[in-house]
Amino acid sequence: MVPDLDSLPVSRSGGGRLRTVALVGIDGSGKTTQAHQLATALAARGLPATYRRNAGGRRWFGRLAVALGRMDGEHLLGRRAMLFVESVLRWLAILRTLLRRRITGEISIMDRYAVCQYASIRAHAKTPRPGRLNRAERRARLAYRVFPKPDVTFLLAVDPAIAYDRIERRGYDHEEMAYLRAASAAYEALPERPDFVVIDANGTPAEVGAALIGYLTTPPPAVAVPTARVPVGRRGPAAALVSHGRMLLLAGATLAAASALTYQLAEGF
Ligand SMILES: Cc1cn([C@H]2C[C@H](O)[C@@H](COP(=O)(O)OP(=O)(O)O)O2)c(=O)[nH]c1=O
């Protein structure tokens, strides 16, 4: 059966058409592989799905650091500066993705989203405490709150040891086991965690891909499932106000982000 836009669960739950899908999880969980695969699978079903990468530049700075004789981006810039740069670049990347989505009407299959930055901040803290919201995260949340929640957020849950092996095999970066464990715990402790659709990502790309597409194309249960997308109290004129306010904020942010240099930086990461 070939599903159309209106056959996807998100539209059936009353929230309108499916517009944004985010894949989140620790490094090596398979976000990039699966986001590409999912966009291709949806496109093959005639849906306007496009892969979008909301990267924070850590990998790029890692390569630069190595070229300059340092271990990684954190070693090059310092822990706090790297987190700040990552937060800014990811913010710009998400903004660009959402603006593109608005212009093209595509279904954006997003490789990472705002929650990845919150998890990164927790896991990269001097003393990682996965359950604790620190000052840096508070600031990031303030900046990222202009972005709407994706229609679906898939958390690719993977054993950190499997993720570690995958990263070693892909060969162009390295993560410590302690960091992967802290990041995994951070995702589990995020307040957004109850909204995630958790997918077992320990399997093969085909198995995980089937779980993702299966979720999106399987009709929801007949019982009324409350949707978290639009709180009931925000419907009607209040919803319109919130929506306009958000658009104004986004427009202002677009101006701030309009420098070609910054745009190119975000594009490259
Ligand atoms: C999804 C998946 C990826 N891989 C490989 C592909 C990549 O080289 C590497 C990491 O996957 P990748 O998609 O790059 O993970 P992320 O974007 O979350 O960091 O592991 C597997 O070996 N098995 C899998 O099931």
Side-chain angles (χ1 to χ4, degrees):
M1 190 188 74
V2 179
D4 61 21
L5 280 171
D6 294 320
S7 76
L8 297 178
V10 168
S11 61
R12 289 192 181 196
S13 64
R17 289 182 168 186
L18 182 71
R19 296 168 308 175
T20 46
V21 176
L23 280 83
V24 307
I26 65 174
D27 291 301
S29 60
K31 298 178 297 296
T32 305
T33 308
Q34 293 301 336
H36 275 296
Q37 212 172 275
L38 181 59
T40 304
L42 291 175
R45 287 165 164 78
L47 299 170
T50 310
Y51 170 88
R52 296 292 177 206
R53 185 149 182 245
N54 294 325
R58 202 170 271 274
R59 204 167 286 168
W60 189 91
F61 273 99
R63 282 197 214 113
L64 178 67
V66 170
L68 296 175
R70 302 294 180 97
M71 259 159 36
D72 54 23
E74 218 167 287
H75 195 215
L76 181 70
L77 300 180
R79 188 182 57 81
R80 291 170 73 165
M82 185 65 240
L83 272 177
F84 177 75
V85 169
E86 183 186 52
S87 296
V88 171
L89 291 176
R90 198 182 311 283
W91 190 92
L92 287 169
I94 293 173
L95 175 69
R96 187 187 47 167
T97 295
L98 295 179
L99 288 174
R100 274 179 174 171
R101 202 218 67 76
R102 190 163 273 272
I103 291 163
T104 63
E106 69 189 28
I107 300 175
S108 300
I109 309 299
M110 302 188 292
D111 180 352
R112 294 186 175 274
Y113 200 64
V115 293
C116 298
Q117 198 52 35
Y118 310 150
S120 177
I121 290 170
R122 289 185 187 203
H124 284 106
K126 205 168 177 185
T127 314
R129 292 193 193 96
R132 189 162 160 226
L133 189 155
N134 62 23
R135 202 160 10 130
E137 183 183 340
R138 215 168 274 135
R139 285 201 202 110
R141 282 183 178 275
L142 217 57
Y144 280 72
R145 68 190 291 175
V146 293
F147 299 136
K149 203 162 77 173
D151 294 322
V152 180
T153 300
F154 288 116
L155 172 65
L156 300 187
V158 68
D159 181 338
I162 291 179
Y164 182 90
D165 286 344
R166 287 179 184 171
I167 295 167
E168 290 301 299
R169 260 185 280 128
R170 89 179 157 196
Y172 58 75
D173 57 350
H174 173 77
E175 295 296 350
E176 298 294 334
M177 260 309 284
Y179 165 72
L180 292 173
R181 284 206 193 94
S184 181
Y187 275 105
E188 286 302 322
L190 287 176
E192 290 83 0
R193 169 67 176 73
D195 296 330
F196 297 160
V197 176
V198 182
I199 300 290
D200 179 354
N202 294 298
T204 64
E207 287 166 347
V208 179
L212 294 172
I213 198 84
Y215 176 85
L216 289 177
T217 56
T218 303
V223 288
V225 180
T227 172
R229 276 192 72 245
V230 184
V232 174
R234 279 202 184 170
R235 292 184 190 282
L241 264 179
V242 169
S243 173
H244 278 106
R246 185 173 280 157
M247 279 317 296
L248 275 175
L249 276 169
L250 276 178
T254 311
L255 281 176
S259 110
L261 176 63
T262 311
Y263 194 88
Q264 285 310 314
L265 275 172
E267 181 80 60
F269 298 151

